[in-house]
């Protein structure tokens, strides 16, 4: 058993899972926005990055780690809500290219502003968990307290979001506004407010992903989330953009696949692996692996 | 937003040919009076114009959103670069043809899974393609030169052209102007091709597929073939633009084709006007002189251009312009000009 844990296969499993939960969180955040407003938020990664940088600045003033996480999430939520109000709301009912273009523009602005304030070098937040790997009989197991924390935190957030949607009144209202806005409005749900809350929730979940990335040994730099966003999008699309479970499973799948390609071939080919998974998945089931079949005209 | 180009008075090919010829010759004359720096900038802008023409056709005319055209540019640039690196004596026109064809093939490969997708899915899928293509260039170092890239010097100013120049910097001026002229002529030629394509049978079919796919299918138009064609054409244009870009700079490197290039292309296209020919040219001109624009804004606002903010000013300006254009003038500069023109004509 102990030799199994230290095998290179298990190294890759652990590495892939650690990376995969980050993708899962981003994918989940994309699904929340997609469900509520049918917008694919191309600035999702950049918004999370920006919020985390604000938290990072606070830690420089002697604030503790958990406060920093909290600040990042709150800033992320405010940013998400404001984005929906200011940039997205005027575009409801417009062609689907309009919100895409606007969010791409927002992505460019956020990254340029972040680079001009905080420079392009990577920054880290020291998490209160050791990054030193465990050992078993003198050999490394590619798990550290930090990696376990990372996975537990991600799963905790996912369960929290699931519980919010399933068991609370707010969750019911959110689902109702996504499914049938008109009916929801007639039944007294403030649909517009729900859309804003959906964006806030999503941005908060995204911020957690960036915080985890910043807490790791490589840190976070302003364009770091570009690649994470692409992987997160692939994960969400493999799951069908509609299904939170699909997004989470997709994230883990992409994380593991990229880790194995990286280990057995080359890190430069890993992004292509994600694209190929997406292509294959879409060819088998264009509507996503985890969604119920919905026909589209033509 | 109503899509542009829904109706338009029918121009003949002759009129289009004459217009393009006139504009190209005018630009060639202008390059003679521009300083060498501006000539080089104009050459880059001409290459970008070709890419935007393709993007405008893909997004504006066929309604398929692509964020991956920097990837197609990279494919074309590497095809040209690898060829030119090994065959320095090969005629330039062959290099460009090769890049166009290879670019088109890459478009076909991306199109096969993509034409079944819509809107945001397609945008994300093409973005993922663009994100995957430059690391690939870093991987196959023996072919692509890896991180450092490839160098080649195939752009030689012909002797007869040098005769027009005299004085201290004759050869520098001549080289810069030859580069600009070559790029402008190619861009003019591609503009003419695209103008014809816009008004061809395929172009009209494309618009119908965009506006109403059910009606298009009832008319006997093959939807997936039409959508694939749009991708192949856009990718071929991007491939040519990318190769021109590489030949002008005499080098091709992975870092020349970052994801931000896709954003820049989108910004320029939207600023110029989605789905319009003139918009692509406007976008190319803005690209040419964006550095001047940025330094002007820096000096207006008193920002130190070597500071962090000054260095990132272009991203901020482009991003803000993209957002504002989409929110308040979604048809871009070309749309504004059209509105002013129809306003004037309705008065007279």
């Amino acid at each position: 058993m102990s030799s199994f844990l230290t095998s290179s296969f298990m190294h890759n499993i652990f590495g892939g899972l650690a990376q995969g939960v980050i993708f899962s969180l981003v994918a989940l955040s994309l699904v929340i926005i997609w469900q509520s407003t049918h917008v694919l938020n191309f600035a999702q990664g950049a918004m999370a990055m920006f919020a985390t940088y604000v938290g990072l600045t606070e830690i420089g003033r002697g604030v503790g780690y958990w406060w920093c996480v909290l600040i990042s999430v709150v800033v992320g939520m405010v940013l998400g809500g404001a984005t929906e109000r200011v940039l997205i709301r005027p575009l409801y009912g417009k062609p689907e290219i309009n919100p895409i273009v606007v969010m791409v523009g927002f992505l460019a602005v956020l990254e340029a502003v972040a680079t001009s304030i905080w420079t392009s070098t990577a920054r880290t937040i020291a998490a209160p968990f050791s990054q030193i790997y465990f050992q078993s009989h003198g050999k490394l197991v590619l798990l550290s307290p930090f990696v376990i924390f990372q996975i537990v935190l991600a799963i905790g957030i996912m369960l929290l979001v699931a519980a919010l949607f399933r068991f609370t009144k707010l969750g019911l209202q959110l689902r109702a506004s996504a499914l049938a806005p008109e009916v929801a409005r007639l039944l007294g749900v403030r649909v517009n407010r729900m859309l804003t809350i959906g964006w806030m929730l999503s941005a908060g979940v995204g911020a957690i992903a960036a915080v985890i990335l910043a807490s790791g040994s490589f840190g976070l730099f302003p364009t770091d989330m570009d690649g994470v966003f692409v992987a997160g999008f692939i994960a969400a699309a493999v799951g069908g953009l509609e299904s939170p479970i699909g997004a989470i499973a997709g994230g883990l799948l992409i994380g593991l696949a990229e880790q194995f390609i990286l280990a057995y071939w080359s890190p430069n080919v890993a992004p292509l692996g994600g694209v190929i998974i997406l292509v294959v998945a879409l060819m088998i089931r264009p509507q996503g692996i985890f969604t119920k079949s919905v026909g589209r005209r033509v | 937003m109503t899509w542009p180009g829904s109706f338009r008075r029918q121009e003949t090919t002759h009129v289009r040919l004459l217009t393009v010829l006139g504009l190209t010759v005018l630009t060639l004359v202008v390059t003679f009076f521009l300083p060498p720096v501006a000539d080089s900038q104009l050459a880059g802008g001409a290459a970008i114009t070709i890419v935007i023409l393709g993007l405008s056709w893909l997004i504006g005319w066929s309604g398929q959103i692509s964020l991956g055209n920097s990837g197609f540019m990279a494919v074309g640039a590497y095809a040209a670069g690898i060829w030119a690196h090994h065959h320095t004596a090969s005629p330039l026109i062959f290099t460009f043809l090769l890049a166009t064809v290879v670019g088109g093939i890459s478009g076909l490969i991306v199109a096969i899974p993509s034409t079944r997708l819509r809107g945001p899915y397609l945008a994300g899928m093409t973005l993922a393609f663009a994100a995957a293509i430059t690391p690939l260039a870093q991987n196959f170092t023996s072919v692509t030169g890896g991180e450092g890239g490839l160098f080649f010097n195939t752009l030689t100013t012909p002797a007869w052209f040098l005769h027009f120049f005299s004085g201290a910097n004759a050869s520098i001026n001549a080289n810069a102007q030859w580069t600009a002229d070559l790029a402008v002529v190619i861009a003019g030629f591609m503009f003419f091709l695209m103008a014809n394509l816009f008004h061809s049978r395929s172009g009209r079919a494309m618009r119908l597929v965009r506006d109403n796919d059910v009606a298009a299918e009832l008319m006997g138009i093959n939807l997936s073939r039409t959508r694939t064609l749009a991708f192949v054409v856009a990718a071929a244009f991007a491939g040519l633009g990318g190769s021109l870009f590489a030949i002008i700079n005499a080098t091709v490197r992975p870092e020349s084709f970052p994801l931000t290039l896709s954003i820049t292309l989108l910004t320029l296209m939207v600023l110029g006007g989605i789905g319009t020919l003139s918009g692509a040219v406007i976008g190319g001109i803005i690209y040419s002189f964006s550095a001047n624009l940025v330094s002007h804004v820096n000096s207006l606002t008193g920002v130190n251009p070597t500071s962090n903010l000054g260095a990132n000013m272009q991203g901020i300006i482009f991003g803000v312009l993209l957002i504002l254009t989409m929110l308040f003038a979604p048809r871009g500069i070309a749309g504004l000009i059209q509105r002013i023109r129809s306003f004037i004509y309705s008065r007279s």
Side-chain angles (χ1 to χ4, degrees):
Chain A
M1 184 62 197
S2 59
S3 68
F4 176 66
L5 277 176
T6 55
S7 66
S8 72
F9 178 76
M10 284 314 283
H11 280 186
N12 290 325
I13 293 281
F14 293 141
L17 283 180
Q19 194 69 41
V21 289
I22 296 177
F23 297 162
S24 293
L25 280 176
V26 173
L28 180 64
S29 72
L30 291 174
V31 167
I32 296 173
I33 286 190
W34 177 263
Q35 275 191 328
S36 65
T37 54
H38 270 258
V39 170
L40 178 60
N41 182 12
F42 278 86
Q44 186 75 11
M47 282 162 58
M49 173 276 298
F50 200 88
T52 304
Y53 262 105
V54 175
L56 267 166
T57 322
E58 291 307 309
I59 215 169
R61 295 184 192 150
V63 179
Y65 179 76
W66 292 106
W67 278 109
C68 167
V69 175
L70 189 69
I71 291 166
S72 303
V73 173
V74 170
V75 170
M77 290 175 84
V78 171
L79 194 60
T83 308
E84 195 275 337
R85 275 291 161 100
V86 179
L87 295 179
I88 295 299
R89 185 149 302 176
L91 297 175
Y92 290 137
K94 297 276 171 63
E96 54 194 359
I97 183 176
N98 294 28
I100 292 178
V101 170
V102 166
M103 291 324 283
V104 168
F106 195 44
L107 159 81
V109 172
L110 283 177
E111 285 187 350
V113 170
T115 315
S116 58
I117 301 176
W118 296 294
T119 75
S120 54
T121 45
R123 295 202 182 190
T124 53
I125 326 172
F129 297 94
S130 166
Q131 306 223 16
I132 298 165
Y133 291 119
F134 295 119
Q135 290 196 352
S136 161
H137 301 286
K139 282 185 181 165
L140 283 181
V141 181
L142 241 56
L143 273 181
S144 63
F146 173 73
V147 172
I148 291 174
F149 155 69
Q150 166 176 350
I151 294 172
V152 168
L153 177 65
I155 292 172
I157 295 293
M158 291 168 201
L159 289 178
L160 213 63
V161 171
L164 176 80
F165 271 93
R166 185 135 302 183
F167 300 119
T168 64
K169 196 176 168 213
L170 178 67
L172 187 65
Q173 290 180 335
L174 281 166
R175 282 188 287 152
S177 343
L179 203 65
E182 281 312 312
V183 179
R185 195 169 280 127
L186 286 174
L187 290 172
V189 177
R190 289 164 177 257
V191 172
N192 280 343
R193 182 176 292 175
M194 289 305 126
L195 299 184
T196 311
I197 292 175
W199 271 72
M200 289 173 72
L201 260 179
S202 158
V205 173
I208 294 279
V211 165
I212 292 178
L213 210 59
S215 312
S217 44
F218 297 108
L220 181 76
F221 54 90
T223 54
D224 209 4
M225 291 299 281
D226 285 355
V228 177
F229 168 79
V230 169
F233 161 74
I234 292 175
V238 166
L241 274 187
E242 296 275 348
S243 148
I245 308 280
I248 292 163
L252 296 178
L253 174 72
I254 301 294
L256 286 170
E258 294 204 345
Q259 175 67 33
F260 274 93
I261 297 174
L262 180 149
Y264 289 104
W265 194 356
S266 153
N268 289 326
V269 189
L272 192 68
V275 178
I276 291 170
I277 289 177
L278 178 61
V279 168
V280 172
L282 290 172
M283 284 203 160
I284 300 168
R285 268 179 80 86
Q287 69 277 28
I289 306 284
F290 284 85
T291 44
K292 292 186 206 87
S293 179
V294 182
R296 191 192 169 278
R297 62 188 187 118
V298 181
Chain B
M1 166 187 156
T2 51
W3 289 97
S6 298
F7 65 90
R8 175 168 296 200
R9 92 194 124 81
Q10 284 296 310
E11 309 151 329
T12 59
T13 313
H14 292 94
V15 175
R16 283 199 285 273
L17 184 61
L18 283 177
T19 318
V20 173
L21 266 181
L23 279 175
T24 309
V25 170
L26 185 72
T27 319
L28 292 183
V29 172
V30 168
T31 57
F32 186 76
F33 296 103
L34 287 176
V37 177
D39 270 342
S40 315
Q41 288 174 321
L42 199 66
I48 290 293
T49 302
I50 299 173
V51 183
I52 304 174
L53 277 171
L55 191 63
S56 209
W57 154 262
L58 183 63
I59 298 184
W61 228 241
S62 89
Q64 302 181 93
I65 304 163
S66 163
L67 297 176
N69 280 39
S70 72
F72 297 134
M73 271 182 85
V75 170
Y78 268 99
I82 292 164
W83 178 260
H85 183 70
H86 293 289
H87 306 83
T88 32
S90 133
L92 215 47
I93 181 126
F94 186 78
T95 313
F96 288 136
L97 274 178
L98 182 82
T100 314
V101 171
V102 174
I105 292 170
S106 74
L108 185 67
I109 293 169
V110 174
I112 288 168
S114 300
T115 46
R116 297 166 64 173
L117 306 177
R118 291 291 168 281
Y121 276 96
L122 186 57
M125 158 86 203
T126 48
L127 182 72
F129 161 75
I133 209 81
T134 39
L136 217 56
Q138 285 165 353
N139 195 51
F140 298 101
T141 313
S142 58
V143 186
T144 60
E147 203 71 65
L150 293 173
F151 295 90
F152 37 85
N153 204 354
T154 45
L155 199 62
T156 41
T157 313
W160 60 266
F161 196 76
L162 285 165
H163 290 310
F164 292 112
F165 296 86
S166 57
N169 294 323
S171 72
I172 293 174
N173 288 335
N175 287 338
Q177 201 195 321
W178 175 251
T179 312
D181 287 355
L182 185 78
V184 166
V185 168
I186 296 175
F189 179 67
M190 297 313 280
F191 184 92
F192 176 65
L193 284 188
M194 190 52 95
N196 282 328
L197 197 56
F198 265 40
H199 298 100
S200 71
R201 192 188 158 86
S202 298
R204 289 196 302 273
M206 206 68 80
R207 257 154 49 203
L208 187 57
V209 171
R210 175 195 74 197
D211 293 334
N212 191 336
D213 46 6
V214 178
E217 198 154 52
L218 286 172
M219 298 275 290
I221 297 168
N222 185 330
L223 290 187
S224 66
R225 193 187 296 164
T226 311
R227 291 195 173 115
T228 308
L229 178 73
F231 251 100
V232 172
V233 169
F237 271 66
L240 177 65
S243 69
L244 188 56
F245 209 71
I247 296 289
I248 291 168
N249 295 319
T251 176
V252 53
R253 263 178 289 183
E255 68 190 37
S256 313
F257 304 97
L259 275 187
T260 44
L261 182 61
S262 269
I263 299 177
T264 307
L265 289 172
L266 190 71
T267 311
L268 295 168
M269 185 202 63
V270 169
L271 271 180
I274 301 176
T276 58
L277 291 162
S278 52
V281 178
I282 295 168
I285 294 170
I286 295 174
Y287 177 84
S288 303
F289 301 106
S290 56
N292 306 45
L293 176 80
V294 169
S295 65
H296 187 66
V297 170
N298 274 341
S299 66
L300 268 184
T301 50
V303 173
N304 179 6
T306 54
S307 69
N308 263 325
L309 181 59
N312 288 291
M313 197 51 107
Q314 176 163 355
I316 297 172
I317 294 172
F318 270 29
V320 169
L321 277 180
L322 189 56
I323 295 171
L324 292 180
T325 313
M326 214 54 213
L327 287 178
F328 300 111
R331 292 173 68 178
I333 295 173
L336 282 180
I337 292 173
Q338 217 165 27
R339 255 162 71 182
I340 293 166
R341 249 172 54 185
S342 61
F343 179 74
I344 293 167
Y345 285 141
S346 67
R347 280 298 175 88
S348 61

